[in-house]
Amino acid sequence: MKFSWTALCLCVAASVLALMNTAAPGWAADGELSCALDSPLPLDETIGICGLVINSTAGLRERVGALIVRAELRLKQDDPGKAIEDCGQAIDLDPLSTAALDMRGRALAADKKFDRALDDFDRAIKLNPHSATLFAGRASTFAAMHENRLAVRDYTEAVRLDPTRVQSLVDRAAAYAKVKRFDLVIDDQSDIIRLEPTAEHYDARGQSYARNNAYTRAIADFDAAIRLEPKASYFMNRGNAFSLSGAYDRAIADHDMAVQLQPDLAMAYNNRGVAWRDKGDPARALADFDAAVQIDSTLDIALRHRKQLEKYRVAARKPAIGLHPSADASTR
């Protein structure tokens, strides 16, 4: 779940400006200081700017907001401990800030302190039971704990509160998959496509259809994804669907396109090898499995496939056995 805050563009008091010998990066020409998630500056510089706001004479709301933004930036730096500290300061300043509780809940979850994270989300939801963001945050914590049914419950409430929140639908679909409700996965993916008809979403639903052996529908979705964005992985996925439906020539053609677009895509070579194998051409299959392993020596599936076909390689190398022309039955 991505947290979004309106950029904080704060006019800093003259006393703070006087502490600086020159205008530091992040200060606008008119004297504004930008402590913002979407700042074009490096994270460290933006974090420093947020610190100036936090320690300035700015109002309570602005300082709480800067603490929350800095916590978000520290999470981006994979430093949940400092993010938790920043949120703690924000909550001390404003115990009713649901944004600070939400941010600390996410930081605690990132630090695998799940019980404390749930406590913060529970507290925030009591303060604002109409926030889809808060229910989605608690749901993501349940998902990280592998409590997928509880995650589905909270994602469902988030979707009810905001039916246009695509990320909640994406995350709920993932939780449904964990509890093997693949029919509901596809329902959510269809709603996602209605809201955001992107290549990525068509590809995701295509994979779900393929897992349910609905290959015609899967191929239609991969067609849509490729029309929007001719990406190597989409050709590979369509090739897999063709292969599973027995259309090996079309599968091979799609895998050809995948490796043309991305020559280092080891899985595409592996999958083309499967198509060649199932079509009855072990020599070409072995060549593709070899290519896949050469690109990625840890690709277990290609290693297994290659091992299964090693007997054909041995047979191809074994010389034919025959008698010398002079050795016939009359001389033995």
Side-chain angles (χ1 to χ4, degrees), residues 27 29 33 46 50-51 53 81 83 88 93 99 106 126 133 137 141 149 203 206 224 233 242 248 277 307 317:
W27 291 89
L33 179 65
T46 307
C50 291
V53 179
L93 290 170
R106 293 194 293 115
K126 285 180 181 177
T133 297
T141 302
R149 295 187 187 280
D203 176 69
S233 61
F242 279 131
Y248 301 121
R277 181 199 66 191
K307 185 176 181 180
R317 290 175 179 170

Side-chain angles (χ1 to χ4, degrees), residues 259-271:
V259 298
Q260 180 180 329
L261 291 170
Q262 189 176 335
D264 63 347
L265 188 58
M267 189 60 77
Y269 286 97
N270 173 78
N271 295 349

